């Protein structure tokens, strides 16, 4: 099943990309070229942004992918508010449920709230990464956008993840487990051995563009269904969204340098 939320794959290509590409390999290559060409601009934006909030997350995506996707910087709730997005077929064992589009911003805000507690963040980095991944704000480019935001957030908390030592399959498995069972330590246990102290952004280890698997939650087995489907509605009624964002009142969503 081709991921075609706009319903125009045959005429506009995958997600209405600028080159109207349809072949998955060509899409991946061109999309990654856009990412590589824009990394420095995105990192400079984050470094100079006084507060990391939801608007900053949207802006990072726009900087990274606007050359390839005209809708870059706009979230799922704006683009396809009528669709639920899954990894795998919904209802299948092992499938991943991403946040309801109407709750995407709330989910990201909660991740930023968690990252605002530096001590907890360092001890539980997977909790923050898992929450950002669960939000799945964008139709594509989530992994790489989230990575840059996470790197800046963790730098402001005084640490980094040595991503160059992680393994794609193990990371994605832990990430999927974290989304299904949030805040139970799946991704914390995987990432903890790779936590390092950091004093300068120049110390970020490994080539960012060479990190493997960051698009795995975007292109591998992604499906979508109408939110009008009673089965999909039931999934969101029973899914433990509260475990991802158990908060009341206004969350603290701004992370200072």
């Amino acid at each position: 099943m081709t991921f075609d939320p706009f319903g125009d794959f045959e005429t506009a290509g995958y997600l209405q990309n600028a080159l109207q590409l349809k072949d998955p390999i060509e899409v991946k290559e061109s999309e990654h070229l856009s990412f590589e060409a824009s990394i420095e601009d995105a990192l400079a934006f984050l470094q100079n942004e006084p507060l990391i909030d939801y608007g900053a997350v949207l802006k990072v995506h726009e900087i990274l992918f606007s050359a390839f996707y005209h809708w870059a910087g706009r979230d799922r709730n704006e683009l396809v508010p009528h669709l639920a997005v899954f990894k795998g077929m919904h209802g299948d064992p092992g499938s991943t449920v991403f946040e309801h589009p109407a709750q995407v911003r709330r989910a990201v805000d909660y991740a930023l709230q968690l990252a605002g507690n530096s001590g907890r963040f360092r001890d539980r980095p997977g909790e923050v990464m898992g929450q950002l991944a669960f939000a799945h704000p964008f139709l594509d480019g989530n992994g790489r956008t989230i990575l840059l935001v996470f790197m800046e957030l963790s730098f402001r908390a005084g640490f980094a993840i040595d991503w160059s030592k992680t393994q794609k399959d193990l990371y994605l498995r832990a990430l999927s487990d974290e989304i299904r069972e949030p805040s139970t330590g799946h991704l914390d246990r995987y990432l903890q051995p790779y936590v390092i102290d950091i004093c300068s952004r120049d110390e970020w280890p490994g080539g960012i563009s060479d990190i493997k698997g960051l698009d795995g939650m975007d292109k591998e087995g992604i499906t979508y269904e109408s939110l009008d489907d009673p089965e999909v509605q039931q999934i969101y009624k029973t899914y433990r969204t509260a475990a991802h964002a158990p908060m009341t009142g206004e969350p603290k969503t701004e992370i200072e340098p």
Side-chain angles (χ1 to χ4, degrees):
M1 179 180 179
T2 301
F3 184 51
D4 184 22
F6 296 125
D8 56 5
F9 177 82
E10 291 303 324
T11 56
Y14 176 77
L15 296 181
Q16 299 179 348
N17 67 81
L19 302 177
Q20 298 184 327
L21 298 175
K22 300 177 185 177
D23 181 83
I25 295 177
E26 293 180 347
V27 169
K28 267 195 172 186
E29 291 175 347
S30 295
E31 184 184 86
H32 203 65
L33 284 174
S34 176
F35 172 70
E36 287 184 314
S38 306
I39 289 175
E40 291 187 7
D41 289 341
L43 291 175
F45 164 77
L46 285 168
Q47 179 176 348
N48 293 318
E49 191 68 5
L51 302 172
I52 305 300
D53 58 10
Y54 189 66
V57 176
L58 298 182
K59 185 62 179 180
V60 170
H61 188 269
E62 179 185 346
I63 292 170
L64 291 175
F65 297 109
S66 59
F68 193 61
Y69 294 124
H70 69 87
W71 47 265
R74 299 163 66 189
D75 66 24
R76 287 193 287 124
N77 193 45
E78 180 180 354
L79 294 171
V80 288
H82 59 294
L83 295 180
V85 178
F86 304 88
K87 180 178 172 63
M89 296 301 295
H90 74 274
D92 289 350
S95 64
T96 299
V97 182
F98 294 116
E99 180 62 286
H100 189 289
Q103 298 297 323
V104 163
R105 178 169 185 162
R106 180 174 182 263
V108 172
D109 282 347
Y110 181 54
L112 298 178
Q113 179 188 22
L114 292 173
N117 184 330
S118 298
R120 178 190 175 100
F121 184 18
R122 185 186 179 107
D123 290 339
R124 304 177 69 172
E127 184 178 46
V128 173
M129 178 62 83
Q131 179 66 28
L132 290 169
F134 168 67
H136 205 79
F138 310 105
L139 293 176
D140 208 323
N142 289 280
R144 285 156 290 187
T145 301
I146 288 170
L147 170 71
L148 298 195
V149 171
F150 182 92
M151 288 174 65
E152 179 64 26
L153 292 174
S154 57
F155 171 77
R156 296 186 186 196
F159 74 95
I161 302 295
D162 189 348
W163 293 102
S164 66
K165 294 182 179 178
T166 62
Q167 298 181 46
K168 173 183 175 179
D169 291 343
L170 295 178
Y171 167 70
L172 291 178
R173 186 183 308 158
L175 180 59
S176 296
D177 289 343
E178 179 70 27
I179 293 173
R180 282 194 294 272
E181 297 180 314
S183 303
T184 56
H186 291 290
L187 193 54
D188 292 330
R189 287 188 290 274
Y190 181 74
L191 292 179
Q192 269 296 339
Y194 310 113
V195 171
I196 58 174
D197 293 324
I198 188 169
C199 297
S200 168
R201 292 175 179 85
D202 294 335
E203 297 174 27
W204 275 328
I208 295 173
S209 65
D210 294 328
I211 298 173
K212 306 300 182 183
L214 294 173
D215 60 348
M217 297 300 283
D218 288 313
K219 288 187 173 62
E220 297 176 9
I222 296 296
T223 60
Y224 60 95
E225 298 287 346
S226 171
L227 285 166
D228 292 331
D229 185 331
E231 291 185 9
V232 174
Q233 293 176 4
Q234 185 62 28
I235 288 173
Y236 280 109
K237 285 181 180 178
T238 58
Y239 195 68
R240 298 196 309 149
T241 301
H244 287 275
M247 59 185 177
T248 58
E250 291 299 319
K252 178 183 177 182
T253 60
E254 299 173 335
I255 309 299
E256 299 183 14

